[in-house]
Amino acid sequence: MKLYGYWRSTAAYRVRIALHLKGIPFESVAVNLRQGEQRSPQFLALNPQGLVPTLVDGPAVISQSLSIVEYLEETHPAPPLLPAAPAARARARQIALAVAADLHPLANPRVLRYLEFVLEADAGAQEAWRHHWLATELDAVERLVDGDGPYALGERVGLADLCLVPQLYSARRFAFPLDAFPCLRRVEAACAELPAFRAARPEVQADAAAMAGSA
């Protein structure tokens, strides 16, 4: 199994956590987003969107982080990333989509490049854009997670957590204060104790040192 990704990509970060939680061996293949490798003919042949992550498992080629996680859940069901009860499964997906579908795309590098180079938004306007959407969506997720924890939906780590932790990493990277989100910070701290989350962190990826100077 090969995972094409970028060390700082929060979408790839989600998938790395899922792979480690399930104990699935995989090979990481670095795609340098800052150098435009995602638009190379070779990569576009794998993923016509030109985005990471992309998972290659034999003949199967899958993109979109949540599609990849669902594929892993179906092909490697233990340990499960989704609760057994239908309502709880829906809540896990609700949190995951709030992060991956509603929040993350608004601060995606290609969106920020459009703000900067087409709409001519200066650095202050770009920061205001990021912080507005972070505040809006994280406030909602703060109210969706389990109040007692330790994880987003109680005693078992899963889909909601592997979406939430990378997003908080990204928020800190862009100097967004998290003081107003005690439940989210509690979940993050609990996840930080797990080997799967530590192994997936951006700074410990093989391509981090090589790419850090240009990221």
Side-chain angles (χ1 to χ4, degrees):
M1 201 176 282
K2 292 183 178 180
L3 179 66
Y4 290 77
Y6 179 68
W7 68 289
R8 266 186 171 170
S9 162
T10 55
Y13 190 176
R14 294 174 205 137
V15 176
R16 291 196 301 267
I17 295 170
L19 287 161
H20 286 302
L21 282 171
K22 288 183 173 289
I24 302 171
F26 67 99
E27 175 189 350
S28 289
V29 182
V31 179
N32 192 327
L33 303 185
R34 304 296 275 188
Q35 294 181 3
E37 291 179 359
Q38 73 276 23
R39 294 187 295 275
S40 69
Q42 295 86 350
F43 188 73
L44 289 173
L46 280 177
N47 183 345
Q49 281 190 292
L51 301 172
V52 297
T54 298
L55 184 79
V56 177
D57 183 19
V61 180
I62 306 151
S63 60
Q64 291 293 339
S65 63
L66 295 188
S67 294
I68 295 171
V69 173
E70 292 276 0
Y71 172 80
L72 297 175
E73 183 76 345
E74 292 171 0
T75 57
H76 298 75
L81 298 177
L82 286 165
R89 292 167 77 87
R91 174 59 63 89
R93 290 188 173 105
Q94 180 181 359
I95 294 171
L97 288 166
V99 172
D102 292 336
L103 175 53
H104 171 254
L106 293 170
N108 187 281
R110 60 180 178 168
V111 170
L112 298 180
R113 284 195 296 270
Y114 189 87
L115 286 173
E116 180 178 2
F117 296 112
V118 178
L119 300 184
E120 299 182 346
D122 62 18
Q126 292 176 54
E127 180 178 78
W129 169 276
R130 284 192 296 264
H131 285 203
H132 169 76
W133 295 115
L134 281 162
T136 299
E137 294 302 326
L138 291 182
D139 178 68
V141 175
E142 171 79 7
R143 288 178 281 136
L144 287 170
V145 302
D146 187 289
D148 298 320
Y151 304 115
L153 290 179
E155 295 295 324
R156 176 168 291 199
V157 71
L159 176 66
D161 305 280
L162 65 83
C163 288
L164 177 60
V165 167
Q167 190 59 60
L168 297 185
Y169 168 88
S170 178
R172 286 194 172 88
R173 181 186 168 202
F174 291 112
F176 179 77
L178 296 172
D179 297 347
F181 310 105
C183 292
L184 302 188
R185 288 187 285 110
R186 184 207 68 226
V187 170
E188 181 187 40
C191 290
E193 298 298 317
L194 301 177
F197 282 78
R198 293 198 298 266
R201 285 187 62 80
E203 61 268 21
V204 302
Q205 303 312 303
D207 56 326
M211 295 186 179
S214 62

